[in-house]
């Protein structure tokens, strides 16, 4: 790759920088477009002054469950708590092995040692960046035959908005008698066929962090399941392990409630979620049309509707990535790297790693990936500016 040499082209980009500076995820524009409905929802909570466990929370849980196509939704304070609550409901603890993709956000693995269990990191598929089925099965076999741990849970992360291969993961889980925890923090609104994310796991979780496909104005999360007993336990666990009321505590739990203001914001945003997802589909298709063959563009499996939490490309190596990001920054175009370091190389896991399988694919992708701006309010001229700037570096 070389920097464009033509001074005229460079001048065009310098001028364009003044008018095309853009947001990576434009929450400001989203609010401007839907200000009245969001303001009305927040105002109703303030006027009612029912800030904790107000009626909007129950309304949201009912609507989220119906949207995902499951019986139960229990909202909570954030996506990390959602994962921990799921493990708590299953009583995961010391001596248990939990299989986690090596290429994901830290919380997907962080919650495992919090429960006293052992995370076993698994490599990823070269195209989807989701968990590698071959690597997963090899890791399970290693744990069974070479450790004293009991395999218990597969954490299947829907990375960048694309659901994992749940039909095949289910086959592996059934063969080894494992539970599936779907980490849908990035994929709310995605589908495999007509089945939506947050319905593929024995328990599924999501995050409402502001930049997620469905985001609130702070932290928030939710847990989904069809299992009545687990749902009852989760409702207890997320409010200090309560029994009949909040002063009757029957187990050790968390203080992890979604507040009413955030529920109100999410209810308002659900009204235009599908419209936003459709627009992101269009933007991703345009990126891929323009960039395919020059950089490695996302590979979406047949029959899948991606939620496009990120649009991630790969270049040749780390040095090429740094040059690309610097050139985009110069043009006023933000980028991000998800993720710079594999889970198995995080210092927090040092001394407790079960090195069951090599994670060479993860190590490679961490060196080469970079995410481009994607959100429903990205304008056509901004999409063109991103693509032109990327392509200019290969001329």
């Amino acid at each position: 790759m070389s920097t464009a040499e033509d001074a005229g082209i460079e001048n065009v980009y310098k001028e364009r920088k003044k008018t095309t500076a853009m947001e990576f995820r434009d929450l400001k524009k989203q609010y401007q477009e839907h200000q009245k409905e969001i303001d009305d929802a927040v105002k109703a909570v303030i006027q009612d002054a029912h800030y904790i466990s107000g009626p909007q929370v129950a309304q949201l849980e009912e609507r989220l469950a119906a949207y995902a196509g499951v019986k139960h939704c229990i909202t909570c304070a954030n996506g990390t708590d959602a994962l921990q609550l799921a493990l708590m409901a299953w009583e995961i603890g010391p001596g248990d092995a939990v299989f986690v993709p090596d290429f994901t956000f830290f919380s997907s693995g962080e919650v495992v040692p919090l429960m006293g269990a052992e995370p076993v990191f698994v490599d990823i598929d070269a195209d989807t960046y989701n968990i590698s089925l071959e690597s997963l099965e090899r890791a399970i076999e290693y744990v069974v035959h070479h450790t004293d741990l009991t395999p218990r849970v597969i954490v299947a992360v829907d990375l960048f908005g694309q659901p994992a291969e749940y039909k095949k993961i289910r086959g592996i889980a059934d063969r080894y008698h494992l539970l599936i925890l779907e980490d849908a923090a990035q994929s709310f609104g995605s589908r495999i066929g007509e089945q939506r994310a947050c319905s593929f796991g024995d328990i599924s979780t999501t995050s409402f962090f502001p930049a997620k496909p469905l985001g609130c104005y702070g932290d928030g999360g939710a847990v989904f399941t069809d299992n009545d007993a687990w749902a009852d336990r989760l409702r207890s666990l997320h409010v200090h392990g309560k029994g009949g009321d909040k002063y009757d505590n029957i187990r050790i739990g968390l203080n992890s409630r979604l507040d009413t203001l955030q529920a109100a914001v999410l209810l308002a945003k659900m009204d235009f979620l599908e419209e936003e997802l459709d627009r992101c589909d269009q933007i991703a298709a345009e990126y891929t049309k323009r960039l395919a063959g020059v950089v490695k563009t996302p590979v979406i499996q047949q029959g899948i509707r991606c939620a496009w939490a990120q649009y991630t490309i790969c270049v040749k190596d780390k040095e090429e990535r740094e040059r690309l990001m610097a050139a985009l920054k110069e043009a006023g175009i933000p980028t991000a790297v998800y993720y710079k370091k594999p889970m198995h190389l995080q210092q927090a896991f040092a001394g407790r790693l079960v090195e069951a399988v090599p994670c060479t694919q993860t190590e490679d992708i961490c060196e080469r990936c970079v995410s481009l701006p994607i959100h429903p309010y990205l304008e056509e001229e901004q999409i063109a500016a991103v693509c032109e700037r990327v392509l200019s570096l290969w001329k």
Side-chain angles (χ1 to χ4, degrees):
M1 180 175 65
S2 61
T3 303
E5 297 177 355
D6 184 83
I9 293 177
E10 289 301 315
N11 289 334
V12 168
Y13 284 123
K14 288 178 181 178
E15 285 300 312
R16 181 172 280 167
K17 180 181 175 183
K18 299 176 184 177
T19 59
T20 62
M22 63 188 77
E23 300 283 341
F24 192 74
R25 301 287 292 191
D26 201 340
L27 300 178
K28 298 173 186 175
K29 186 64 179 292
Q30 182 193 59
Y31 175 65
Q32 291 167 4
E33 292 287 322
H34 302 281
Q35 183 173 352
K36 185 180 187 306
E37 50 263 53
I38 294 172
D39 283 357
D40 288 348
V42 170
K43 189 181 298 183
V45 177
I46 295 171
Q47 290 174 341
D48 187 48
H50 200 162
Y51 300 115
I52 303 296
S53 302
Q56 289 88 344
V57 176
Q59 292 167 19
L60 177 66
E61 290 177 341
E62 183 178 347
R63 190 167 177 185
L64 289 169
Y67 182 88
V70 299
K71 289 175 66 176
H72 304 284
C73 171
I74 299 91
T75 54
C76 59
N78 55 70
T80 305
D81 281 4
L83 292 166
Q84 184 173 349
L85 285 162
L87 297 182
M88 292 172 74
W90 287 332
E91 299 181 333
I92 302 302
D96 293 334
V98 178
F99 301 89
V100 182
D102 199 39
F103 190 58
T104 183
F105 184 62
F106 185 68
S107 63
S108 301
E110 177 185 26
V111 295
V112 180
L114 281 173
M115 299 299 299
E118 299 298 324
V120 180
F121 295 114
V122 178
D123 211 3
I124 57 169
D125 179 81
D127 288 329
T128 66
Y129 311 137
N130 282 328
I131 196 167
S132 162
L133 302 171
E134 178 185 0
S135 183
L136 172 61
E137 192 147 17
R138 286 175 60 197
I140 296 170
E141 283 288 323
Y142 180 91
V143 169
V144 169
H145 296 292
H146 298 284
T147 77
D148 295 327
L149 299 171
T150 301
R152 293 289 307 279
V153 179
I154 300 167
V155 178
V157 178
D158 302 339
L159 204 71
F160 302 150
Q162 178 171 203
E165 295 182 77
Y166 283 101
K167 185 175 181 180
K168 294 179 180 178
I169 293 171
R170 178 63 65 186
I172 294 172
D174 289 348
R175 191 154 57 249
Y176 292 96
H177 309 291
L178 302 178
L179 295 160
I180 298 175
L181 174 52
E182 178 190 5
D183 182 348
Q186 299 181 8
S187 66
F188 191 83
S190 67
R191 298 193 304 264
I192 301 177
E194 294 304 313
Q195 186 176 354
R196 286 195 170 108
C198 295
S199 69
F200 298 110
D202 295 298
I203 293 179
S204 302
T205 67
T206 196
S207 167
F208 301 125
F209 183 81
K212 301 298 185 186
L214 178 64
C216 57
Y217 288 162
D219 274 320
V223 189
F224 300 79
T225 187
D226 282 325
N227 186 292
D228 296 340
W230 294 341
D232 287 344
R233 198 174 303 162
L234 287 161
R235 290 190 178 96
S236 167
L237 285 166
H238 87 127
V239 188
H240 300 289
K242 72 174 183 177
D245 59 54
K246 65 179 181 179
Y247 299 115
D248 173 33
N249 305 97
I250 60 176
R251 54 175 61 87
I252 300 298
L254 302 177
N255 177 21
S256 187
R257 298 167 297 194
L258 182 73
D259 70 67
T260 313
L261 283 167
Q262 303 301 344
V265 169
L266 290 166
L267 281 167
K269 286 192 174 190
M270 284 198 74
D271 288 341
F272 51 86
L273 173 64
E274 286 296 316
E275 176 186 334
E276 291 193 336
L277 292 169
D278 288 343
R279 176 59 181 153
C280 284
D281 267 338
Q282 296 169 7
I283 294 167
E286 186 64 22
Y287 270 151
T288 298
K289 176 183 175 182
R290 291 172 180 250
L291 299 177
V294 178
V295 295
K296 182 180 179 182
T297 53
V299 177
I300 305 302
Q301 294 187 320
Q302 187 173 2
I304 283 182
R305 192 260 193 102
C306 184
W308 295 110
Q310 284 86 34
Y311 185 94
T312 300
I313 62 174
C314 277
V315 294
K316 183 177 69 174
D317 53 32
K318 186 175 182 179
E319 289 71 27
E320 190 166 274
R321 179 174 70 188
E322 289 175 351
R323 290 196 293 272
L324 173 61
M325 293 177 72
L328 290 170
K329 183 178 181 180
E330 170 63 22
I333 299 169
T335 56
V337 177
Y338 304 94
Y339 298 94
K340 292 182 178 180
K341 184 183 290 188
M343 296 286 275
H344 77 272
L345 294 180
Q346 297 287 350
Q347 182 179 344
F349 296 117
R352 65 179 310 140
L353 284 174
V354 178
E355 297 188 40
V357 292
C359 293
T360 54
Q361 189 63 53
T362 298
E363 292 174 358
D364 175 59
I365 297 300
C366 284
E367 295 286 307
R368 301 192 293 118
C369 67
V370 59
S371 297
L372 303 178
I374 187 165
H375 57 78
Y377 307 96
L378 205 61
E379 299 174 1
E380 297 299 329
E381 66 177 25
Q382 293 177 314
I383 299 168
V386 174
C387 294
E388 289 169 18
R389 190 54 166 163
V390 172
L391 294 171
S392 73
L393 297 171
W394 275 269
K395 287 182 179 179

